[in-house]
Amino acid sequence: MSIVKAMFRAVGGVHPDYRKSATAQKAVREMPLPALLRVSTAQHLGAPSRPVAKKGDAVLRGARLAEPAGFISAAVHSPTSGVVKAIADAPTPTGATAPAIEIEPDGRDAWDPSIAPKPDWQTMSSKNLAALVVEAGIVGMGGAGFPTHVKLSPPPNKPIDTLILNGAECEPYLTADHRLMIERAEQVWAGAEIIRHILGAKTVRVAIEDNKPDAVRSMERAMAGAAGDVAIAVLKTSYPQGAEKQQIYGITGREVPTGGLPMDVGCVVENVGTALAIFDAIVNGRPLTERITTVTGSPVADPSNVLARVGTPYGDLVSFCGGTSGPVAKWISGGPMMGFAQHSLETPTTKTTSGLVALAPGDLTAFASTPCISCSRCVTACPMKLLPCELSQILEAEDYAAAEALNVLDCIECGCCAFECPSRRPLVQHMRRGKARAMARRRAEEAKKKGK
Amino acid sequence: MTKEADKPGAEEAGKTPLLVVSSSPHTHSGASVRRIMLDVVLAMLPAVAVSLWLFGLDALRLLTVCVAACVLFEYAARKIMKRDAGIGDLSAVVTGILLAFNLPPGLPSWMAVIGCFAAIVIAKQVFGGIGYNPFNPALVGRAALLASFPVQMTTWAAPSRLSAALEPARNTLDAMTMATPLGWTKTSLAAGSQLPIGMNGGVAWDFLAGFKPGCIGEVSGLALLLGAAYLFYRRCIYWQVPAFFIGAVVLFSGALWLDDPAHNMPPLFHVLSGGVILGAFFMATDMVTSPVTKTGMVIFGAGCGALTVLIRKWGGYPEGVSFAILIMNSLTPLINRGTKPRIFGHAKRNGRK
């Protein structure tokens, strides 16, 4: 076990105002159960899960409420014991709506008897362990919500030699992963050992930015007795160090090919929160029903790291943090670089709600499509080495074919370009539109091929 | 929670506050076009100060006339074209100062106003305004004046302090005007005479400080470098353009000098005379008209430097900086197209190590 510096300098990136000090030193507080939980069926990337619970059902904590609707999908479990009041549409953090299972807690918070701890996981096969991860409904908790079992079952022709545990938390304001690494380092590391066992990965790197030295020390203690090629990789603080492709490059020098996955270069990246969820799922037998969310921003009265059940309405989270002490102009689910602006606080939390950030009117940035002055700051900032300025002008002219030729699909929507743009052009919006059109065109082409 | 009144979301603060919903990112570096232009103006202040010291009221007159005329033309053009009056971004102020920097001290004010018209209306607003102009507006203004008023544009008043090495360059009929070092060199060589100026440490220092005739803003390399350092610090210019511009001037003029030192001035002379420093740091670096890729900036800078020496050596004019930059401006779209960076993950060296 050692501490290494990330060897390769990832290109691009920006240095936003991090504003983490409001919550970085605050221990996680567990929130009491709200009056009603709304458990969404669209908490992950891929197909929304299919509800199996019915209105009126009495359920216990950990009972399955919805089942995966395909390989890239995930199960959803009851966050407490209670009664299913309804299955009705609820807003999702991305601004869409999806069916949600509404649970009225009975106050007992009793676990379902099906919960089966597996403390002897070392003796189990990869396949069986991965099956337990599917059972537990675990998805990537860093933000994207990619179903974890997909990453844990690479095809035989793609062996994994390196597991990277992502504790970079490069988004401003957020400190949920930071606190997790300080307060639950042993469990996080135990989760990493389980993932390593499943993948048969020889090397493990825990990626932490150098603005979190206390997290580095805490993880170092937890990993003291670890065997094999295990180290903490300290990353220079910069956004987006937590982006999967950039992190793999920084630590291993390998570039995930365009359109490919980390497994194409022998790597798997898991968020530290995901590692903890896997520990809980295997060793304690508990499905994923809670997570830490950083509730912060200058208008929040008592900014906190909150351990809350999945399905807790945002409004209840805010009340638990003392409500707001000033006007809020924008609520963001996630961080300010890639998070989603909310139109109401009725939205329930999901497995990926890393933060809820309030912006005061003075914190707002207005974007406007004023002409590009070719300052090339976006070109310097783009971690994918795209030409955002050129793409944006092409997309403004709605020339989608040209945008596709300029590789708009490689954009990771990190927001570095728009963050730097002195003309305040809505570059990420342009890219999203270009990507959607390019994807639609590809799908249409594939359908045509199949039809022939 | 300051300045709530004019921000969205606060109209009904206290009652039912409206939430702003927009695409990510929700935060910004704070950079703005206005701030960049202000930085460029600030960076030009040392050179403005030196020009006032060396050329006195003439410098003040030209700077005032050019800035005022550029801003007015910009405002009027936007109004006539029924577009937002875009003078708040300060880009017209930058063009005004840069154009004044490129004028000889004795130029009549009305001629300067014509230059401003060419710069702002013809080179910039006709193309759609800031961001859309293919050529550096100030340099188009200068080129138009050079073509229209060749005598006045090449009549040089001696500065209040002059390098002793240049004393013989004073006009024999009119001791107030004189040739620039580049012009003097060119005419001497054309007349079959020897090189008129011997470069040594003292001459180099005089040239760097600005004790030589020339356009009001180009004479003091020292003042310009001070401003350039600020532009680097503020991330308004990248090192590639000036480094390769000056590097190419040194290499090309150095090769000529090594080949035939009797008929070519040394590279140090070429860098310190004329508009190389002004051009390399303040005009070739113009964001709108230079490439956006790093490789492109290298090619662009090197091209500017090479063309500058080419024009100085074989061209009709003694000085070539402005035409060199204008020619490279025209190649900027092509350079951008040809130097697209390799996108992450598109490498041939993909895959496992």
Side-chain angles (χ1 to χ4, degrees):
Chain A
M1 163 54 214
S2 60
I3 295 180
V4 295
K5 283 232 163 76
M7 288 177 290
F8 302 88
R9 209 176 133 264
V11 294
V14 295
H15 294 94
D17 189 359
Y18 288 97
R19 305 198 184 187
K20 291 175 186 271
S21 57
T23 51
Q25 300 308 320
K26 284 189 168 176
V28 174
R29 294 194 293 148
E30 186 168 358
M31 183 182 156
L33 289 168
L36 188 74
L37 290 148
R38 298 166 92 191
V39 186
S40 177
T41 54
Q43 304 195 33
H44 47 265
L45 219 69
S49 21
R50 248 191 314 266
V52 289
K54 288 184 189 63
K55 187 176 169 182
D57 282 2
V59 290
L60 293 170
R61 183 171 185 195
R64 189 178 265 216
L65 297 179
E67 61 182 15
F71 182 56
I72 304 195
S73 184
V76 168
H77 301 81
S78 181
T80 186
S81 58
V83 180
V84 177
K85 293 298 282 184
I87 297 175
D89 276 355
T92 71
T94 57
T97 54
I101 297 110
E102 295 183 3
I103 308 279
E104 189 178 63
D106 60 13
R108 291 186 301 134
D109 203 24
W111 281 96
D112 195 88
S114 69
I115 300 304
K118 299 274 191 304
D120 55 344
W121 56 267
Q122 276 100 339
T123 61
M124 296 173 65
S125 71
S126 300
K127 215 175 152 188
N128 290 344
L129 284 168
L132 289 178
V133 171
V134 179
E135 276 301 308
I138 295 173
V139 302
M141 292 171 75
F146 192 74
T148 300
H149 63 267
V150 181
K151 289 184 181 180
L152 297 185
S153 359
N157 62 337
K158 288 185 179 161
I160 305 297
D161 59 23
T162 304
L163 166 66
I164 295 173
L165 215 56
N166 189 347
E169 203 167 49
C170 56
E171 273 272 7
Y173 288 99
L174 306 188
T175 56
D177 289 349
H178 183 182
R179 293 309 306 177
L180 194 70
M181 289 186 284
I182 290 174
E183 297 176 31
R184 305 186 69 176
E186 277 79 21
Q187 286 124 310
V188 169
W189 179 247
E193 290 279 23
I194 297 171
I195 304 169
R196 185 192 194 183
H197 179 74
I198 295 173
L199 296 167
K202 176 169 98 307
T203 304
V204 186
R205 294 285 178 267
V206 181
I208 305 174
E209 283 188 332
D210 59 9
N211 62 353
K212 297 182 259 296
D214 47 355
V216 172
R217 282 193 298 274
S218 164
M219 286 308 293
E220 195 185 359
R221 277 194 296 275
M223 295 159 67
D229 182 14
V230 165
I232 294 174
V234 177
L235 311 170
K236 264 195 74 200
T237 300
S238 146
Y239 176 90
Q241 285 281 26
E244 199 167 65
K245 291 178 176 183
Q246 280 64 31
Q247 197 166 75
I248 292 170
Y249 178 76
I251 291 171
T252 67
R254 300 173 193 165
E255 284 188 24
V256 177
T258 177
L261 291 170
M263 65 173 70
D264 295 329
V265 291
C267 293
V268 160
V269 180
E270 293 288 2
N271 170 263
V272 286
T274 315
L276 178 72
I278 288 176
F279 167 84
D280 240 12
I282 309 285
V283 177
N284 298 325
R286 295 171 174 175
L288 176 50
T289 58
E290 62 184 10
R291 71 154 296 142
I292 302 172
T293 299
T294 305
V295 183
T296 186
S298 58
V300 174
D302 181 17
S304 309
N305 299 296
V306 183
L307 178 65
R309 301 293 161 87
V310 167
T312 302
Y314 283 168
D316 292 76
L317 268 183
V318 177
S319 308
F320 179 65
C321 297
T324 52
S325 57
V328 178
K330 196 185 244 183
W331 283 104
I332 304 163
S333 176
M337 292 300 290
M338 286 189 79
F340 298 95
Q342 301 299 301
H343 58 81
S344 97
L345 291 182
E346 279 170 33
T347 311
T349 63
T350 67
K351 299 166 186 173
T352 61
T353 311
S354 49
L356 183 61
V357 180
L359 295 188
D363 298 331
L364 284 188
T365 304
F367 286 90
S369 233
T370 56
C372 168
I373 59 164
S374 307
C375 68
S376 91
R377 287 183 182 180
C378 58
V379 179
T380 309
C382 180
M384 297 304 288
K385 291 203 206 171
L386 296 166
L387 299 179
C389 48
E390 208 169 322
L391 273 167
S392 144
Q393 290 178 88
I394 285 170
L395 287 165
E396 216 168 31
E398 302 188 358
D399 187 350
Y400 297 105
E404 207 178 332
L406 267 176
N407 300 295
V408 69
L409 281 172
D410 279 296
C411 170
I412 59 170
E413 301 175 25
C414 64
C416 288
C417 50
F419 175 82
E420 288 283 6
C421 182
S423 296
R424 315 251 167 147
R425 292 170 64 77
L427 291 139
V428 177
Q429 250 171 301
H430 290 155
M431 302 293 174
R432 288 206 178 109
R433 192 156 131 205
K435 286 172 78 174
R437 286 297 189 104
M439 287 306 289
R441 195 197 61 77
R442 282 194 183 184
R443 275 196 297 270
E445 208 161 75
E446 262 163 42
K448 220 175 177 184
K449 257 186 212 157
K450 269 183 196 161
K452 268 179 194 169
Chain B
M1 273 146 273
T2 51
K3 284 187 265 169
E4 307 150 8
D6 54 344
K7 296 274 184 171
E11 290 97 315
E12 297 180 50
K15 285 185 260 170
T16 35
L18 297 174
L19 291 174
V20 177
V21 178
S22 64
S23 175
S24 64
H26 308 286
T27 181
H28 192 268
S29 63
S32 67
V33 175
R34 183 197 177 96
R35 178 68 222 200
I36 289 174
M37 295 302 163
L38 181 65
D39 280 335
V40 178
V41 171
L42 292 174
M44 291 191 289
L45 287 184
V48 167
V50 173
S51 76
L52 294 177
W53 176 45
L54 291 174
F55 300 109
L57 287 176
D58 266 341
L60 184 66
R61 173 180 59 85
L62 285 174
L63 283 163
T64 313
V65 165
C66 286
V67 170
C70 281
V71 172
L72 276 174
F73 281 132
E74 178 119 317
Y75 183 79
R78 301 299 291 184
K79 272 275 176 228
I80 290 166
M81 297 192 302
K82 295 193 172 62
R83 305 213 177 174
D84 301 335
I87 57 167
D89 62 23
L90 300 180
S91 63
V93 175
V94 169
T95 302
I97 300 177
L98 272 177
L99 180 58
F101 272 16
N102 277 286
L103 300 177
L107 193 82
S109 298
W110 65 270
M111 290 184 187
V113 171
I114 291 175
C116 294
F117 180 82
I120 294 292
V121 178
I122 295 174
K124 186 177 174 191
Q125 290 303 339
V126 163
F127 286 94
I130 186 166
Y132 297 115
N133 50 299
F135 296 100
N136 185 315
L139 288 178
V140 172
R142 174 183 153 87
L145 288 174
L146 199 57
S148 314
F149 312 107
V151 176
Q152 291 86 343
M153 279 296 285
T154 51
T155 302
W156 309 93
S160 62
R161 272 195 68 169
L162 187 66
S163 175
L166 293 172
E167 273 305 332
R170 279 197 196 272
N171 195 320
T172 43
L173 296 173
D174 162 21
M176 297 303 287
T177 62
M178 59 190 300
T180 61
L182 283 168
W184 196 21
T185 307
K186 192 132 199 159
T187 47
S188 300
L189 286 172
S193 317
Q194 286 189 330
L195 288 174
I197 308 163
M199 283 304 277
N200 57 42
V203 177
W205 165 251
D206 283 350
F207 277 29
L208 188 63
F211 308 146
K212 60 180 189 270
C215 296
I216 65 168
E218 73 182 10
V219 289
S220 177
L222 211 57
L224 291 166
L225 289 174
L226 194 67
Y230 176 74
L231 288 182
F232 279 119
Y233 167 70
R234 294 287 307 167
R235 296 195 309 146
C236 290
I237 59 176
Y238 290 89
W239 65 270
Q240 283 89 346
V241 170
F244 280 84
F245 192 144
I246 293 171
V249 167
V250 168
L251 273 181
F252 195 1
S253 64
L256 292 171
W257 176 62
L258 286 174
D259 177 57
D260 182 7
H263 292 97
N264 290 290
M265 290 302 284
L268 187 63
F269 171 83
H270 278 280
V271 173
L272 295 181
S273 58
V276 169
I277 294 179
L278 176 64
F281 290 98
F282 287 86
M283 294 190 298
T285 52
D286 171 40
M287 293 168 167
V288 175
T289 56
S290 64
V292 295
T293 64
K294 302 290 178 292
T295 319
M297 291 176 193
V298 168
I299 296 170
F300 181 87
C304 287
L307 284 172
T308 295
V309 178
L310 196 75
I311 295 169
R312 283 181 178 183
K313 173 73 182 166
W314 290 287
Y317 290 104
E319 171 59 313
V321 169
S322 44
F323 289 113
I325 296 173
L326 286 170
I327 291 168
M328 291 311 290
N329 283 165
S330 71
L331 297 178
T332 292
L334 273 180
I335 296 173
N336 274 336
R337 186 178 290 198
T339 58
K340 290 197 187 87
R342 180 187 63 80
I343 292 164
F344 186 95
H346 280 251
K348 276 183 188 146
R349 58 184 182 83
N350 253 342
R352 328 185 56 159
K353 278 207 164 174

